[in-house]
Amino acid sequence: MAEAIAASVPTTPFTTILNFRDVGKTVNQLSGSPKLQEGRLLITIVQPDRATADNQVTLTTTYGIRTIVDLRSKSEHLAQVQKSTPDPSYLSIPGIKYELISLNGSAFERALIRKLPWSGIARLLYHAGTFNRPAAIRTLTTTVMAPAGLAPLGITTLSASHAEVLAIFTLLSLPASYPLLIHCTQGKDRTGLVILLVLLLCSVPVDTIDKDYRASERELMPELEARLEELRAIGLGDNFAACPKLFIGLMLQWMANRWGGVEGYLDGIGVGREMREMVRANLMVAGGD
């Protein structure tokens, strides 16, 4: 089943940019009908500094990217710098506007801290007091994140990061933002949450959303070992490299129980009716199924 799903999703056209795809084209191909405009919303694990000169030309000319939304955290940016690879904060592709919105930012971190036992809080305070941010982050990953798993962490993200989600949807509501590319580190978890909200808002069938999400696992295979090494280094298990079969269903169940669905969630965090209609107009095919 997973192989059939993967085979039906277009593969990345790049060699150095993994999990790159046109969300509209993928959704239309998977659903068998024109639901979304193609060439408007793209996803990837792209770190633009990894793009070759030819790739940069392709992003700006072939795809016409105007905006890149980077969902990575401060720690991830620092880690990128420590690898001696320039970070988007320091290297930008000319002609593209960069929006740095840490989806798992301070609000998410505070939500995790509230889940720590007293011993974990003590370790966290010690590492914070010695300015050892990597050790502080590892305290959260090993004590809270790893035992929880991806779906509960996704719920924590959507529960805590209201301001960040609102900022993303504000960009999505502006016609001048498009074509827009959104990414995190793997292009499947934080990016997957944002795409889940967008596709639900645009009335894309759940089975199509699930297939699109799970296809990321295949797209990330070329760097699987490197990603596993990075996950293990911060105290997360190998399961965090996967796209769990039940992830989409669990997110939908939580959203329905807590908010009555995606419209209720978005409305509750400040993405009002007018903004939601603007996002739909920017992405949906007029008169589509």
Side-chain angles (χ1 to χ4, degrees):
M1 181 66 173
E3 290 76 8
I5 291 171
S8 64
V9 175
T11 58
T12 178
F14 300 104
T15 55
T16 59
I17 302 176
L18 300 182
N19 203 26
F20 180 96
R21 61 181 176 274
D22 179 334
V23 176
K25 182 177 181 179
T26 301
V27 163
N28 295 343
Q29 186 167 319
L30 287 171
S31 62
S33 61
K35 297 184 179 299
L36 299 182
Q37 299 176 50
E38 298 185 6
R40 300 283 283 170
L41 181 62
L42 303 107
I43 67 167
T44 183
I45 69 163
V46 68
Q47 296 163 19
D49 37 80
R50 294 180 56 183
T52 64
D54 288 344
N55 288 166
Q56 292 186 22
V57 171
T58 300
L59 289 171
T60 55
T61 58
T62 303
Y63 291 98
I65 302 296
R66 290 185 181 178
T67 308
I68 289 179
V69 180
D70 184 344
L71 303 179
R72 291 179 296 170
S73 67
K74 183 185 296 184
S75 296
E76 288 169 296
H77 284 285
L78 290 173
Q80 192 71 21
V81 172
Q82 290 169 359
K83 291 179 181 177
S84 300
T85 301
D87 171 85
S89 302
Y90 304 99
L91 175 65
S92 299
I93 299 174
I96 293 180
K97 181 180 180 181
Y98 287 80
E99 297 287 350
L100 307 180
I101 303 174
S102 177
L103 190 58
N104 287 351
S106 58
F108 175 78
E109 290 177 356
R110 288 194 299 270
L112 294 184
I113 290 170
R114 287 194 289 270
K115 298 176 186 291
L116 282 171
W118 286 111
S119 59
I121 292 174
R123 290 199 305 275
L124 186 69
L125 291 173
Y126 171 77
H127 294 312
T130 56
F131 302 101
N132 190 343
R133 183 176 176 82
I137 294 298
R138 187 176 173 84
T139 297
L140 290 174
T141 58
T142 56
T143 310
V144 180
M145 296 175 68
L150 279 170
L153 288 176
I155 291 170
T156 300
T157 297
L158 294 185
S159 297
S161 303
H162 291 181
E164 291 80 4
V165 176
L166 174 58
I168 294 165
F169 271 81
T170 299
L171 287 171
L172 292 172
S173 72
L174 303 174
S177 297
Y178 295 91
L180 180 147
L181 184 147
I182 186 166
H183 78 95
C184 49
T185 295
Q186 299 192 65
K188 70 178 186 69
D189 300 322
R190 286 162 292 184
T191 301
L193 286 175
V194 174
I195 298 303
L196 168 64
L197 295 174
V198 170
L199 297 187
L200 287 173
L201 181 63
C202 292
S203 303
V204 173
V206 173
D207 66 322
T208 297
I209 298 173
D210 182 65
K211 289 175 183 177
D212 174 69
Y213 168 71
R214 293 172 61 197
S216 292
E217 192 167 322
R218 173 205 64 184
E219 288 293 291
L220 294 167
M221 284 300 294
E223 291 189 356
L224 177 60
E225 288 306 317
R227 290 189 300 114
L228 290 176
E229 184 176 335
E230 290 178 356
L231 290 169
R232 292 163 185 163
I234 61 172
L236 294 176
D238 292 0
N239 58 307
F240 278 77
C243 295
K245 187 175 181 179
L246 299 178
F247 182 84
I248 297 298
L250 290 171
M251 298 306 302
L252 291 175
Q253 183 180 45
W254 169 80
M255 210 176 304
N257 292 340
R258 175 66 179 83
W259 298 94
V262 68
E263 299 271 359
Y265 171 76
L266 291 173
D267 198 56
I269 68 169
V271 182
R273 181 182 297 275
E274 182 178 355
M275 186 181 293
R276 298 199 301 272
E277 289 303 323
M278 292 173 69
V279 174
R280 289 190 182 102
N282 286 333
L283 292 172
M284 295 182 71
V285 171
D289 293 346

